[in-house]
Amino acid sequence: MDSAERIRVLVAEDNEDLRAVIEVLVSDEPDLCCVGAVSTIAAVVEAGERLAPNVVVLDIELQGESSLKSLSRIQTACRDARVLIYSGHVHPSIVRGALEAGAAGYVTKNGDVSQLLEAIRQAGSRS
């Protein structure tokens, strides 16, 4: 698959090991392309403007900052991207709050990685 046809993914996760694992998982998929991996809200905004991802995989909290409170700023910077929240929190009110704030989807970290990859594909096919 031509790189221009692949879903461009920006990973935003402040756990260095998990960020590296997600980056490798995404890069190993023939239809996905990891265009960047960052650990702060400011870096998401900068990378989103520069790298033009189709999908942002966004940890619900980055280095103590709420990603949900910054979601509109992230969506403005990542104009054509859909944002997937990737979180260890599973409480229904948190999931609902993320979706109401404009997230395209919510994937829990305790699920199988295939769920994350499928959610990326679904979000990327609608961007």
Side-chain angles (χ1 to χ4, degrees), residues 51-73:
L51 300 173
N54 303 112
V55 177
V56 177
V57 175
L58 182 65
D59 188 6
I60 199 163
E61 186 175 293
L62 293 174
Q63 297 187 358
E65 279 191 84
S66 168
S67 296
L68 296 183
K69 289 181 180 175
S70 301
L71 195 54
S72 76
R73 188 171 70 155

Side-chain angles (χ1 to χ4, degrees), residues 11-95:
V11 176
E13 168 63 56
D14 57 0
N15 178 301
E16 186 176 341
D17 293 334
L18 182 54
R19 185 174 62 246
V21 166
I22 297 169
E23 188 174 4
V24 168
L25 286 170
V26 168
S27 295
D28 282 348
E29 296 296 309
D31 58 335
L32 306 177
C33 174
C34 185
V35 295
V38 298
S39 62
T40 66
I41 299 290
V44 174
V45 170
E46 185 277 327
E49 292 172 342
R50 184 173 45 85
L51 300 173
N54 303 112
V55 177
V56 177
V57 175
L58 182 65
D59 188 6
I60 199 163
E61 186 175 293
L62 293 174
Q63 297 187 358
E65 279 191 84
S66 168
S67 296
L68 296 183
K69 289 181 180 175
S70 301
L71 195 54
S72 76
R73 188 171 70 155
I74 291 168
Q75 290 171 319
T76 298
C78 305
R79 292 173 297 283
D80 297 323
R82 297 181 52 90
V83 177
L84 287 177
I85 299 296
Y86 191 52
S87 174
H89 299 286
V90 296
H91 195 278
S93 66
I94 295 174
V95 175

